[in-house]
Amino acid sequence: MLTRRAFAVSLAGTGASVLAGRAGAANFRAIPQRPSARVIVDNDFAGDPDGLVALAHQLLTPKTRTVLITSSALNPKLTDPAIAGKTAAAGKDIAEELMRQAGLVAPPPVFAGTEDLGNSKAPASKAALAIVAEAMRDDPVPLYFTCGGPLTNLAAALRIEPRIAQRMTVVWIGGGSYPNGNWEYNLATDVAAVQEVVERSAVPLWQIPQAAYRQMQASVAELGDQLRPISPFGAWLYDRFTTPPAFINVGGSWPLGDSPTVLLTAISPESSTFVDRTARRINADGTYGAEIAGRTVRVYETLDARLTFADFYALMRQHAQGH
């Protein structure tokens, strides 16, 4: 199986209503939908392309309004030294390129986070400051912070303004399986940030741990058959999967592990299952420690991959047709 974060940086409110129109698009009566949530999309976009699929999906859905995109750094221990210190900035660039490829006419702002992972004394990044500004802005539509990478940018924002914990819900892809936990990329990349969010804040947290996000498998054949031919934008997304590092032996599927962020914020959480657990302290090795009295975490155990990918491909086809 291809593991998460195998890619390095060698890969070179909005919603459907802000897409550039396509000439000759067929007219049809649409089922009425309006945004029911604002979303800040945070991810290490310079890593595995599953984060780009999730970003495209979030931007296309009419059920959420993407108000901000923030980019986090890759784990320097698992990154080519030649590109170390530039991965958050590279992620910002590729997120902006995705929106150009999609033809967004009013794209949300994109800011890069710190490259200094695990340093609570690092200067406030533009990403952290933008998260605070959006969270403190008055808006009747509820705010979700979705994260498919390390929690670095959120932890920094909470240090700047702790009150944002009461003004958003966090949906995070990361952590090992319960009850014991284990090494997992997103957690291991910035353990201190996870500790800050889980142990020292009261922000509502929905966690999708490793055993759950690995359920989101798309076959290699499916990506070539379903995604690539949809449109030039689909072909661009597909191409992000075609240059894995030489040491990776791609199997029959690719885990699109960041897509649950869209499932839970924009489609439906009802066909997935979760358990509200007492939060546990985070050990340096990624295992879970003692329980934290009064702190709970919603932990998703099963996810509806069929619903997620059917919605994604349908929105991509509608986008190609100008709907």
Side-chain angles (χ1 to χ4, degrees):
M1 180 188 296
L2 183 68
T3 58
R4 285 175 57 81
R5 307 303 168 220
F7 265 48
V9 180
S10 56
L11 298 178
T14 77
S17 61
V18 299
L19 298 175
R22 267 46 173 191
N27 293 320
F28 67 97
R29 186 184 298 275
I31 297 172
Q33 292 178 292
R34 61 177 180 270
S36 56
R38 293 175 292 145
V39 175
I40 298 172
V41 178
D42 182 274
N43 214 317
D44 48 357
F45 297 109
D48 281 359
D50 61 335
L52 300 177
V53 169
L55 175 59
H57 195 174
Q58 197 86 64
L59 289 165
L60 294 180
T61 177
K63 281 302 295 175
T64 61
R65 177 159 46 95
T66 303
V67 293
L68 175 65
I69 300 169
T70 52
S71 174
S72 59
L74 299 179
N75 191 324
K77 295 179 181 179
L78 301 174
T79 303
D80 185 339
I83 56 174
K86 306 173 184 176
T87 58
K92 173 182 181 292
D93 291 343
I94 197 169
E96 291 176 331
E97 176 62 20
L98 180 149
M99 290 189 288
R100 286 191 292 270
Q101 293 288 334
L104 296 190
V105 297
V110 187
F111 295 100
T114 182
E115 303 282 353
D116 196 1
L117 296 164
N119 182 4
S120 63
K121 300 186 183 302
S125 67
K126 291 182 178 180
L129 292 169
I131 291 166
V132 171
E134 180 58 37
M136 297 305 294
R137 186 174 65 82
D138 288 332
D139 192 310
V141 180
L143 178 64
Y144 287 82
F145 180 92
T146 68
C147 181
L151 286 169
T152 306
N153 293 331
L154 177 61
L158 285 163
R159 287 194 295 273
I160 297 167
E161 179 50 87
R163 289 180 297 168
I164 67 173
Q166 281 72 49
R167 300 178 68 90
M168 65 170 70
T169 298
V170 175
V171 183
W172 178 50
I173 309 290
S177 300
Y178 284 83
N180 298 320
N182 54 266
W183 188 97
E184 188 276 330
Y185 177 89
N186 289 342
L187 191 158
T189 296
D190 195 342
V191 175
V194 182
Q195 291 170 333
E196 185 137 10
V197 172
V198 174
E199 300 180 14
R200 295 189 288 279
S201 87
V203 65
L205 176 61
W206 297 359
Q207 182 183 1
I208 298 95
Q210 189 176 63
Y213 71 64
R214 282 182 171 172
Q215 297 167 22
M216 307 298 287
Q217 301 282 331
S219 80
V220 170
E222 176 187 8
L223 291 171
D225 182 65
Q226 298 291 319
L227 178 59
R228 183 183 55 79
I230 287 175
S231 65
F233 179 41
W236 182 87
L237 280 172
Y238 174 82
D239 195 52
R240 303 310 99 194
F241 292 85
T242 62
T243 53
F247 64 85
I248 292 296
N249 180 17
V250 178
S253 67
W254 198 298
L256 300 183
D258 291 340
S259 291
T261 56
V262 190
L263 170 66
L264 300 179
T265 61
I267 308 173
S268 173
E270 294 178 357
S271 59
S272 303
T273 64
F274 66 86
V275 175
D276 287 326
R277 294 181 175 272
T278 301
R280 305 180 75 96
R281 299 196 179 278
I282 308 299
N283 297 323
D285 63 357
T287 57
Y288 300 123
E291 292 186 345
I292 305 170
R295 176 77 160 119
T296 60
V297 175
R298 176 172 294 186
V299 180
Y300 277 84
E301 297 184 337
T302 66
L303 298 162
D304 194 333
R306 187 216 63 81
L307 179 62
T308 306
F309 298 145
D311 187 73
F312 171 62
Y313 291 129
L315 286 171
M316 286 290 291
R317 287 189 290 270
Q318 290 176 11
H319 169 248
Q321 296 162 7
H323 299 322

